[in-house]
Amino acid sequence: MGSVKVAITLDRETLLRVDALVAKSVFPNRSRAIQEAVSDKLARMERGRLATECAKLDPKSERAFAEEGLSADAERWPPY
């Protein structure tokens, strides 16, 4: 996917921290540092939403649903 140029405003301290990472060659430039920071933040937020939704599940009912029908199939499985 192609890149799109945007303008952002950062406080001076944040910009100094980004520039320090660029100076240490952690990132090739400011743009890449900010791209990766935004991508990482979005990924963490998405994982957080998944964890929130998973916390709503009832473990007992989920286990019962997962094991539904396994007892009948287990009789047809070869012994180990």
Side-chain angles (χ1 to χ4, degrees):
M1 176 170 39
S3 297
V4 177
K5 187 174 253 189
V6 298
I8 64 168
T9 302
L10 299 174
D11 61 82
R12 189 172 306 280
E13 180 60 32
T14 300
L15 185 58
L16 291 172
R17 291 169 63 193
V18 169
D19 285 345
L21 294 172
V22 172
K24 293 178 187 175
S25 298
V26 175
F27 297 101
N29 52 49
R30 288 175 171 173
S31 182
R32 181 64 56 86
I34 293 166
Q35 272 182 315
E36 290 192 29
V38 170
S39 291
D40 288 349
K41 178 64 176 181
L42 291 173
R44 281 195 309 274
M45 289 175 70
E46 288 167 2
R47 285 192 304 270
R49 279 196 297 260
L50 177 59
T52 300
E53 292 302 315
C54 287
K56 295 176 184 177
L57 299 174
D58 175 34
K60 288 181 183 178
S61 65
E62 291 299 314
R63 180 173 301 197
F65 180 70
E67 293 175 351
E68 201 172 90
L70 286 180
S71 60
D73 289 342
E75 294 170 5
R76 294 183 294 183
W77 293 355
Y80 288 104

